[in-house]
Amino acid sequence: AQSVAQPEDQVNVAEGNPLTVKCTYSVSGNPYLFWYVQYPNRGLQFLLKYITGDNLVKGSYGFEAEFNKSQTSFHLKKPSALVSDSALYFCAVRDLNTGGFKTIFGAGTRLFVKA
Amino acid sequence: NAGVTQTPKFQVLKTGQSMTLQCAQDMNHEYMSWYRQDPGMGLRLIHYSVGAGITDQGEVPNGYNVSRSTTEDFPLRLLSAAPSQTSVYFCASSLDRSGETQYFGPGTRLLVL
C-alpha cells in the first residue's frame, strides 16, 4: 500500500538555525513528491515538488528538499529559519499506480520557530 | 483569477440534515478533488474528478456524493450528516493528473451536532 510518514508531530527550532522536517514514503514505482504548508485557518499552499532530475529541489520561501531514493525519504530543509515559517507542513505523494489521480498526504508536522 | 473558492466558510448541522459544500475554480483545471482534514490524520481524499462528467471515489467516500456537470464546479453533498463528519473540508484542483501542483481552497469548517 502507498503511504507517507512524517515521524515528528512537532519540530521546534530557534530563529536563524537550520530546520529539517522529515518525510518518508512507500510507493511502488517512481513517486511524485510534494511539500505543502498550511497557515492557520488557510488552505494548503504548494512549496516544492520532485518529479524527476536533480535530487535537490528548491522551492518557495527559501525551502529545499532532498529526494533520497535508497532511503525513500524527502526531507524538507531551510538553512535559516524565520519566525514566519511557523506553520503546519505536509508531505504528499502522487500515487502513480492509479494514474496519478490520488494524492496521499502525511499527517503533518507542526513547525515552531522561536525568536 | 480567484483561484479555488469554497462556500460556506463555516456551517453547523444537526445529525441527519443534508447540505452541499460548494467548490469552484476559474483556472480551467481538469482535475478536482475533495479532502477532509482531521487532527493527526492529515488530509484524506473523499472523491475526485478528472473532468466534467467523470468522478471516482477516494479513501473515505461513504456518506458523501459528488457530481461534475461543468469544468468549474465540483459540489460535495452530505446526504445525512453524522457527528463523524465534523471536519474541515478542502477542495483542490490541478491542471492534470500527473505531476502538476494542486491548488487548494480556503476550506469549509463543518460541525455536526
Side-chain angles (χ1 to χ4, degrees):
Chain A
Q2 327 292 336
S3 64
V4 176
Q6 293 181 242
E8 303 155 315
D9 292 336
Q10 184 171 309
V11 170
N12 298 310
V13 64
E15 188 173 34
N17 283 359
L19 69 88
T20 298
V21 182
K22 296 180 180 178
C23 172
T24 59
Y25 65 90
S26 174
V27 296
S28 55
N30 296 321
Y32 289 172
L33 294 158
F34 302 83
W35 275 102
Y36 289 86
V37 60
Q38 184 181 30
Y39 298 101
N41 300 313
R42 303 286 296 275
L44 277 68
Q45 297 177 31
F46 170 79
L47 274 180
L48 51 80
K49 65 183 177 183
Y50 172 82
I51 304 300
T52 186
D54 193 346
N55 288 345
L56 184 64
V57 179
K58 295 188 182 297
S60 307
Y61 313 122
F63 284 93
E64 59 188 27
E66 185 168 12
F67 172 63
N68 188 318
K69 188 172 184 177
S70 63
Q71 297 185 3
T72 62
S73 66
F74 191 56
H75 301 331
L76 181 70
K77 299 181 180 183
K78 187 174 182 181
S80 179
L82 299 173
V83 172
S84 58
D85 292 331
S86 298
L88 186 58
Y89 291 81
F90 290 97
C91 182
V93 60
R94 279 264 177 144
D95 180 357
L96 299 184
N97 280 349
T98 58
F101 299 143
K102 296 183 180 180
T103 299
I104 301 164
F105 284 83
T109 298
R110 192 165 296 280
L111 174 66
F112 285 104
V113 181
K114 187 176 180 181
Chain B
N1 288 349
V4 181
T5 58
Q6 291 183 238
T7 56
K9 290 185 179 180
F10 180 71
Q11 183 72 46
V12 179
L13 290 178
K14 295 181 179 179
T15 297
Q17 287 184 318
S18 62
M19 79 160 294
T20 298
L21 280 64
Q22 301 292 343
C23 173
Q25 53 88 13
D26 61 358
M27 298 174 282
N28 201 32
H29 285 172
E30 290 296 323
Y31 176 72
M32 296 185 74
S33 53
W34 275 103
Y35 296 90
R36 59 178 290 172
Q37 183 180 23
D38 301 293
M41 303 188 73
L43 276 73
R44 291 182 291 170
L45 183 65
I46 304 172
H47 285 284
Y48 65 94
S49 169
V50 300
I54 307 171
T55 64
D56 205 349
Q57 297 181 348
E59 300 175 70
V60 288
N62 293 340
Y64 307 95
N65 273 358
V66 292
S67 59
R68 184 96 180 268
S69 56
T70 67
T71 299
E72 293 78 20
D73 300 298
F74 191 44
L76 177 72
R77 283 183 288 277
L78 279 69
L79 308 174
S80 178
S84 61
Q85 293 179 305
T86 293
S87 187
V88 181
Y89 292 84
F90 289 101
C91 179
S93 74
S94 64
L95 188 60
D96 63 33
R97 66 176 178 83
S98 60
E100 285 300 322
T101 306
Q102 289 192 81
Y103 295 85
F104 285 81
T108 293
R109 190 173 296 272
L110 178 66
L111 175 62
V112 183
L113 302 174

